[in-house]
Amino acid sequence: MNYFFTSESVSEGHPDKVADQISDSILDEFLAQDPKSKVACETLVTTGLVVVAGEVKSKAYVDVQSVVRKVVNGIGYTKGEYRFDGNSCGVMSAIHEQSPDINQGVEKGKGLHTEQGAGDQGMMFGYACKDTDTYMPLPLDLAHRMLKKLSEIRREGKEMTYLRPDAKSQITIEYDENGNPLRIDTIVISTQHDEFDKNETKMLKKIENDVTKILIPKVKAELPERTQKLFKNDFKLFVNPTGKFVIGGPHGDSGLTGRKIIVDTYGGKGAHGGGAFSGKDPSKVDRSAAYAARHIAKNLVAAGVANEVLIQVAYAIGVAEPVGIYVNTYGTANVKMSDAEIAEKVKKIFPLTPEAIQKRLKLLNPIYAETAAYGHFGREPKVVKKTFMADGKKIEKEVELFTWEKLDYVDKVKKEFGL
């Protein structure tokens, strides 16, 4: 019997994503000056105010207020009428030093164990499937694409000139009983906008028409042919279903770091351990082990071990080796072995201590601001140059982004599994 699955995304101007981007940008500034920085940075945004709190152990000095204003302006909150803008918002910092009790568990040679231990207990998940060329679930992939394209249109300023930074999308896909996508059933787009017409009905019709004739065709044109075919003429489209979306961003709703963990991961597919990513340095396995699990799952699927893979890793605080590794192939394995046997081979191929993960995925670099909007997974690995401030001087660093998305272990996986 056919079934339906739905995922949502939010734009970089959504209040929770504004908070995530601030937290990760502050993290990057610390790591750029001191790669050994230990950072846990949380952000609250609301009308005219940004509050930053957390724990840090670092040799670096970061001008928090300057970073906050740069991020907020960069997102597009630059006008006083938004009731939240980078030039005039208040910025409060309540960052203090990391607890020495935690620090001794995450620094090599300290605490009960000589190895660098996990920054906390917990379980983390990674997932991959063959829905898309990025090995991501199709509903989430499309939801992200809709909002990234909407943001591009807003920034270019040639079409849909009424757009404001806050937006949400939601995609529902119909699948057959074997999990193959058949068609797009529903598209929901809610976008903040200027009040460009006193007649609300006319205003809504204009936005609906532009979404239909500008946004969706632009997104569709960039999709592979197999996905384009899913756009039948019978999908339901809801644009700003309340009728109006002028008041938005942190003025319309407060935002907090780590409140969009399903948007950040797999859109509800697979599983989630509950730990957020943004603002956390890679000694926190909430982040680094989730990246490692995705790297494993993606390479297993790309190598042909299975068509769909979920990886779970679990840690005890202060202990280096994971306390458990679990694999679920949902009955799609292409090798004659159980999921438990696959898990044993995963242990051989991929070292999973925090130190090994950091080295393999190059996580001690300032690479995190780019992850804080439109998902941490399914992104294109790339090398970029980034500029930071240290002691009043600009420093430039070349860093590799989204290393956990690389298919660099496919050959090793094939060899180990005899594929």
Side-chain angles (χ1 to χ4, degrees):
M1 187 174 179
N2 294 356
Y3 66 92
F4 298 82
F5 195 87
T6 303
S7 294
E8 71 159 348
S9 182
V10 298
S11 73
E12 77 259 37
H14 186 280
D16 295 330
K17 283 285 123 196
V18 173
D20 284 342
Q21 288 166 90
I22 291 170
S23 291
D24 271 336
S25 295
I26 290 170
L27 167 64
D28 278 357
E29 291 288 338
F30 276 108
L31 291 175
Q33 299 178 53
D34 178 9
K36 294 182 179 180
S37 295
K38 299 295 181 286
V39 180
C41 180
E42 314 287 344
T43 302
L44 160 71
V45 295
T46 186
T47 303
L49 180 64
V50 176
V51 180
V52 180
E55 303 79 47
V56 172
K57 184 176 186 294
S58 178
K59 296 177 182 176
Y61 168 76
V62 171
D63 184 346
V64 171
Q65 184 165 146
S66 175
V67 174
V68 168
R69 297 192 188 285
K70 182 179 178 182
V71 172
V72 173
N73 281 327
I75 291 167
Y77 287 111
T78 56
K79 300 177 182 178
E81 63 191 280
Y82 296 160
R83 304 289 294 275
F84 179 85
D85 71 274
N87 296 321
S88 67
C89 67
V91 180
M92 294 176 58
S93 176
I95 293 174
H96 58 88
E97 192 166 358
Q98 182 185 48
S99 159
D101 296 351
I102 293 175
N103 183 257
Q104 70 178 6
V106 299
E107 297 240 7
K108 201 169 182 178
K110 293 184 178 181
L112 292 176
H113 305 275
T114 56
E115 289 184 274
Q116 177 188 337
D120 203 351
Q121 68 177 44
M123 64 282 191
M124 302 83 209
F125 289 91
Y127 176 83
C129 64
K130 286 194 168 182
D131 263 17
T132 62
D133 294 341
T134 58
Y135 300 91
M136 289 291 287
L138 182 59
L140 182 64
D141 182 71
L142 288 175
H144 285 326
R145 286 175 182 269
M146 289 288 176
L147 293 186
K148 280 192 276 189
K149 184 57 64 178
L150 195 68
S151 177
E152 286 177 23
I153 293 169
R154 173 174 63 87
R155 291 176 184 279
E156 286 172 1
K158 296 176 182 177
E159 301 170 292
M160 303 177 75
T161 54
Y162 48 78
L163 292 173
R164 291 183 175 184
D166 195 0
K168 298 178 78 172
S169 65
Q170 187 171 284
I171 307 291
T172 302
I173 304 288
E174 181 180 358
Y175 291 84
D176 67 19
E177 59 186 7
N178 297 314
N180 300 306
L182 298 175
R183 53 182 285 277
I184 294 167
D185 181 78
T186 307
I187 298 174
V188 182
I189 302 290
S190 295
T191 181
Q192 186 189 14
H193 58 89
D194 293 337
E195 196 159 13
F196 58 89
D197 197 311
K198 292 181 180 179
N199 186 316
E200 286 189 21
T201 302
K202 278 186 179 180
M203 193 160 55
L204 179 58
K205 283 185 177 179
K206 167 66 173 169
I207 300 171
E208 285 178 341
N209 186 66
D210 287 351
V211 167
T212 303
K213 295 185 177 180
I214 298 173
L215 176 63
I216 293 177
K218 284 179 180 288
V219 171
K220 187 178 175 182
E222 295 179 356
L223 294 168
E225 187 177 353
R226 63 170 175 156
T227 308
Q228 288 186 21
K229 290 178 179 178
L230 301 177
F231 284 82
K232 315 292 186 184
N233 293 323
D234 60 346
F235 67 81
K236 297 183 285 290
L237 175 64
F238 297 97
V239 177
N240 287 6
T242 65
K244 186 179 178 182
F245 188 4
V246 172
I247 299 170
H251 176 51
D253 188 12
S254 61
L256 291 170
T257 301
R259 206 159 57 176
K260 285 290 175 283
I261 59 177
I262 300 303
V263 172
D264 284 344
T265 52
Y266 307 103
K269 278 277 191 176
H272 198 294
F277 300 155
S278 289
K280 297 177 181 177
D281 75 83
S283 71
K284 282 77 172 172
V285 283
D286 276 344
R287 182 169 220 160
S288 55
Y291 289 174
R294 162 64 177 175
H295 184 234
I296 294 167
K298 186 176 181 181
N299 276 270
L300 289 179
V301 173
V305 173
N307 297 335
E308 184 179 14
V309 172
L310 179 74
I311 304 287
Q312 184 204 59
V313 289
Y315 292 85
I317 188 169
V319 180
E321 291 289 345
V323 297
I325 300 173
Y326 165 80
V327 174
N328 187 352
T329 62
Y330 303 93
T332 68
N334 301 311
V335 292
K336 293 182 179 179
M337 58 181 68
S338 68
D339 288 352
E341 290 171 319
I342 293 173
E344 287 301 314
K345 287 192 175 292
V346 165
K347 291 179 188 178
K348 288 177 62 178
I349 302 168
F350 299 91
L352 285 167
T353 65
E355 184 177 22
I357 292 171
Q358 288 174 12
K359 286 182 179 179
R360 181 165 70 250
L361 301 180
K362 303 175 184 177
L363 298 182
L364 292 177
N365 291 307
I367 58 174
Y368 298 104
E370 284 80 2
T371 69
Y374 307 115
H376 293 243
F377 307 121
R379 309 287 291 274
E380 187 69 30
K382 59 183 177 180
V383 176
V384 300
K385 286 184 178 180
K386 299 179 70 175
T387 303
F388 304 90
M389 295 298 295
D391 297 325
K393 298 179 182 178
K394 288 184 178 180
I395 56 173
E396 195 173 74
K397 291 207 169 196
E398 189 174 84
V399 295
E400 190 173 3
L401 305 178
F402 303 107
T403 54
W404 49 92
E405 291 297 313
K406 294 171 71 174
L407 295 174
D408 51 349
Y409 271 64
V410 169
D411 290 342
K412 290 181 181 180
V413 170
K414 285 183 175 181
K415 183 178 180 181
E416 185 65 35
F417 283 89
L419 296 169

